[in-house]
Amino acid sequence: MWPLLLPTALLLLVSSDIGAGLQKAVVILDPEWVRVLEEDNVTLRCQGTYSPGDNSTKWFHNGSLISHQSANYFIGTARVNDSGEYKCQTALSMTSDPVKLEVHIGWLLLQTTQQPEFREGDTIRLNCHSWRNKRVHKVTYLQNGRGKKFFHENSEFRIPEATQKDSGSYFCRGMIGRNNKSSETLRITVGDPTTSPSVPPWHQITFCLLIGLLFAIDTVLYFSMQRGLRSSTAVYEEPKLHWSKEPQDK
Ligand SMILES: *[C@@H]1O[C@H](CO)[C@@H](O)[C@H](O)[C@H]1NC(C)=O
Ligand SMILES: *[C@@H]1O[C@H](CO)[C@@H](O)[C@H](O)[C@H]1NC(C)=O
Ligand SMILES: *[C@@H]1O[C@H](CO)[C@@H](O)[C@H](O)[C@H]1NC(C)=O
């Protein structure tokens, strides 16, 4: 039986490793825009598993540990130097994936909810955001220089089910008081999800290959053991025949 135990033990080892890998903390932005203007308020929330004795959170900004230790990291009146990658970690979770925050200076900023690589089928959310939330009206969202959407009163522009045709260079413009203002352009790409959107998930590929291999080993072992059992029952039956024959011989 022990040859079967080895692959099973390996399998358990691999799956517990993957299990630990799943317990990654997550950084959530509130509001969810990854690009903000100076003086905006942003809260970064860390979602992770805490241990009963340790409810502190480690925050990393551009790779260095910062002194903040609670689950919510509030950036009031953001500054350009608050830009960069944020990661968090709790007692019972691994370090989160980085979330990139960009703090810009200007009157208008075209905001999105993720770094500008989208996949087909995603919803692209664009927001024409003004400095200190000043009132903006007659807002136009433009793609490659052409007007795509107009709002009398400022409003978010959503592109549901994005396709590759939605890739391009976007900006917004509108009136702040009597002034005609424009945002900088933002390049948005919508990738084909079938042609590897980013880095292939090597962890998962290795995992699947390992499972397949172990399954093959198990199957081979199972059949060879069955064959072994069948031949051993045959060996055991033979004496029975002898035994039943013996009285006849006598
Ligand atoms: C940030 O929060 C403070 C305090 O609530 C508020 O006065 C300020 O207007 C907020 N900033 C922006 C850009 O909304
Ligand atoms: C950003 O710069 C300001 C001074 O302009 C400083 O007070 C603040 O600590 C800096 N923040 C970071 C995250 O470096
Ligand atoms: C703002 O200026 C552009 C040209 O720079 C013009 O095409 C557009 O109509 C103006 N917008 C408004 C709301 O007046």
Side-chain angles (χ1 to χ4, degrees):
M1 207 49 178
W2 70 268
L4 272 179
L5 287 177
L6 183 68
T8 314
L10 264 173
L11 191 72
L12 283 176
L13 208 76
V14 170
S15 29
S16 71
D17 183 38
I18 295 288
L22 285 179
Q23 292 179 326
K24 239 187 209 181
V26 177
V27 175
I28 291 172
L29 285 177
D30 179 14
E32 57 272 76
W33 312 112
V34 294
R35 322 174 81 223
V36 299
L37 282 173
E38 271 218 326
E39 297 185 34
D40 278 347
N41 301 315
V42 185
T43 305
L44 295 114
R45 304 187 190 284
C46 187
Q47 287 189 348
T49 315
Y50 292 87
S51 80
D54 182 3
N55 64 355
S56 68
T57 307
K58 275 185 188 151
W59 283 101
F60 301 89
H61 180 211
N62 292 330
S64 10
L65 187 68
I66 53 182
S67 58
H68 196 82
Q69 288 197 344
S70 65
N72 294 339
Y73 178 40
F74 177 70
I75 302 174
T77 60
R79 297 282 163 223
V80 170
N81 62 359
D82 291 314
S83 300
E85 288 192 340
Y86 287 89
K87 291 194 263 186
C88 74
Q89 191 188 3
T90 63
L92 297 180
S93 57
M94 302 202 328
T95 312
S96 68
D97 287 330
V99 160
K100 207 171 146 204
L101 181 73
E102 290 176 14
V103 183
H104 293 259
I105 296 175
W107 282 96
L108 284 181
L109 176 75
L110 190 62
Q111 295 181 301
T112 55
T113 52
Q114 64 191 70
Q115 289 307 313
E117 287 95 35
F118 291 85
R119 282 167 308 166
E120 280 199 315
D122 283 352
T123 295
I124 301 176
R125 290 176 58 195
L126 299 173
N127 187 44
C128 194
H129 172 56
S130 59
W131 184 55
R132 292 181 167 174
N133 286 317
K134 286 181 186 295
R135 182 167 170 262
V136 199
H137 56 112
K138 292 185 181 164
V139 174
T140 310
Y141 290 85
L142 299 96
Q143 179 195 11
N144 301 327
R146 264 180 301 182
K148 235 175 104 129
K149 190 82 185 172
F150 175 81
F151 294 102
H152 251 286
E153 288 303 320
N154 194 9
S155 178
E156 197 181 307
F157 172 38
R158 285 184 186 222
I159 305 171
E161 310 255 321
T163 66
Q164 287 176 54
K165 282 187 198 145
D166 295 311
S167 296
S169 158
Y170 286 79
F171 75 96
C172 69
R173 68 171 178 234
M175 307 292 294
I176 297 182
R178 286 194 199 157
N179 299 310
N180 187 339
K181 300 282 183 200
S182 293
S183 74
E184 284 176 23
T185 59
L186 172 67
R187 172 108 211 132
I188 285 179
T189 35
V190 182
D192 183 351
T194 53
T195 59
S196 100
S198 52
V199 192
W202 287 117
H203 241 80
Q204 282 156 36
I205 291 171
T206 317
F207 181 59
C208 290
L209 282 176
L210 254 170
I211 294 272
L213 185 71
L214 292 179
F215 183 73
I217 293 173
D218 260 2
T219 312
V220 168
L221 280 172
Y222 175 74
F223 281 112
S224 60
M225 274 186 75
Q226 257 206 342
R227 214 171 295 144
L229 273 173
R230 231 180 273 138
S231 53
S232 60
T233 27
V235 170
Y236 275 113
E237 271 167 13
E238 258 178 297
K240 253 192 203 166
L241 284 172
H242 280 294
W243 274 59
S244 56
K245 273 177 190 169
E246 263 176 63
Q248 280 178 343
D249 286 346
K250 276 186 181 171

